[in-house]
Structures are given as C-alpha cells and as structure tokens.
C-alpha cells in the first residue's frame, strides 16, 4: 500500500469527469487499498479517485467512529434521493481547513459495485448519505465549494493559492 497525493483546489484536474471502472481487477483493488490508507492518514471520511488524480468512478468512505468500516463504491449511481434536505457544514481533503454549509438530501439509495465487483444497493441517511453525495460530486468534477456563492468561492480560491505559494508549491490555476 502507498499514500497517494491528494489534489488541492483549485487544481483543474478536480473538474475532470470520471469514467466508469471497466473491471474490478488487481489494479483497482490496489487503488482501493491505497485510497483507504490515504484517507485514513489524512483523517478524512471519504475520498474519490478523482482527488488522487485517477479519473475513474471509485469512492472509498468510512464514517464509523472506530475507523474500521470501509465502504467501497465502484460506478455508483443514485437511484433515489429524499426531497427532505439538510444544511450541514462540509469540508474536503482537497480543500483543507475550509468548511461551509451545503444542502443535500437526508436519505439516498445508491447502487454500486463493491471492492469484489459484486453489485450492491445501499440505503444511506445522515452523515453517510451526505458523504456519499459529496464524494459522488467529485466523480462529476464538482468540488463542494461550487455550491457556495461566487464571492465565497473566490475567497477560498485566493486563500488556497496563497497557502500553496507560502508552501513553495506552484500555482495550478
């Protein structure tokens, strides 16, 4: 297993549309293991392949307090989302240190392949439902800050670029 580099907003690669995974093979299973290790090391609860510059429809999530209940969603599709919505502060490993309110469905039903390539249907509510929706946005090339006003988004972009410069990293946008 290996730690992967997480793309940082406003990297334009975060806006890449992920393509379907065609086979759940050793390469994908290795990527799953690396993504889980990376997510746990970064103290995250979810990570999409897009965030590690792999543009395939793969998400790993673990919202358990013990950090021992990994969930793998390959080629996830939302079958149903509740009309009831909730506004929650969200953060993102690609936008470290930034949290803001995003409105999402409180319950969802998702179909996906698991890490073994078996088709599964997942009913999710609460934090898990929010996390799945957040990570699936990444597969569509969308970062949570895009739900915010242009003013907030521009402030976040400026802050992220300033932080990158202070760390001696090149600008990406």
């Amino acid at each position: 297993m290996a730690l992967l580099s997480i793309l940082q907003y406003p990297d334009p690669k975060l806006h890449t549309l992920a393509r379907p995974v065609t086979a759940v093979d050793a390469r994908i299973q290795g990527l799953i293991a690396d993504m889980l290790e990376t997510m746990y090391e970064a103290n995250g609860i979810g990570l999409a392949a897009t965030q590690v510059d792999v543009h395939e429809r793969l998400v790993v999530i673990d919202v358990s307090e013990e950090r021992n209940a990994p969930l793998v969603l390959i080629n996830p599709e939302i079958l149903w989302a509740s009309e009831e919505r909730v506004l929650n502060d969200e953060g993102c490993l690609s936008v470290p240190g930034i949290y803001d309110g995003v409105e999402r469905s409180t319950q969802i039903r998702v179909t996906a392949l698991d890490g073994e390539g078996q088709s599964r249907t997942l009913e999710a509510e609460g934090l898990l439902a929010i996390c799945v929706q957040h990570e699936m946005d990444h597969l569509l090339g969308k970062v949570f800050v895009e739900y915010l006003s242009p003013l907030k988004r521009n402030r976040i972009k400026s802050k992220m670029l300033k932080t990158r410069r202070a760390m001696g990293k090149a600008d990406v946008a």
Side-chain angles (χ1 to χ4, degrees):
M1 295 195 307
L3 288 176
L4 304 170
S5 293
I6 298 173
L7 296 175
Q8 302 286 301
Y9 181 80
D11 193 314
K13 291 182 258 182
L14 287 168
H15 301 294
T16 304
L17 186 64
R19 63 188 178 280
V21 172
T22 55
V24 180
D25 54 17
R27 179 185 69 83
I28 290 295
Q29 290 175 334
L31 178 59
I32 291 167
D34 291 347
M35 286 175 61
L36 285 167
E37 182 180 2
T38 301
M39 178 187 73
Y40 289 132
E41 180 67 24
N43 292 315
I45 60 171
L47 185 66
T50 299
Q51 293 176 270
V52 294
D53 206 15
V54 176
H55 303 286
E56 294 182 75
R57 294 185 56 78
L58 168 61
V59 166
V60 297
I61 293 171
D62 189 343
V63 296
S64 69
E65 287 187 31
E66 300 80 16
R67 313 293 286 148
N68 65 353
L71 174 65
V72 174
L73 301 174
I74 300 170
N75 299 332
E77 299 293 336
I78 294 179
L79 300 173
W80 172 83
S82 67
E83 289 183 26
E84 182 182 350
R85 299 174 69 77
V86 64
L87 181 67
N88 263 348
D89 269 0
E90 289 189 21
C92 181
L93 295 177
S94 291
V95 194
I98 303 295
Y99 299 87
D100 212 318
V102 177
E103 188 177 281
R104 299 203 186 263
S105 293
T106 58
Q107 297 176 310
I108 58 170
R109 184 178 309 118
V110 177
T111 184
L113 301 178
D114 65 16
E116 303 301 318
Q118 300 299 310
S119 182
R120 303 278 185 240
T121 300
L122 170 72
E123 304 267 346
E125 61 184 14
L127 180 59
L128 179 57
I130 290 165
C131 188
V132 169
Q133 292 170 83
H134 175 108
E135 298 308 329
M136 286 182 66
D137 274 354
H138 281 297
L139 303 180
L140 299 172
K142 190 168 188 174
V143 181
F144 89 96
V145 297
E146 292 170 49
Y147 288 100
L148 308 178
S149 71
L151 178 63
K152 281 186 177 181
R153 199 167 43 248
N154 285 333
R155 284 183 178 162
I156 292 167
K157 182 177 181 178
S158 295
K159 181 177 180 178
M160 296 296 295
L161 291 171
K162 183 178 180 182
T163 300
R164 288 184 63 81
R165 281 192 290 275
M167 294 172 58
K169 296 182 179 180
D171 287 349
V172 293

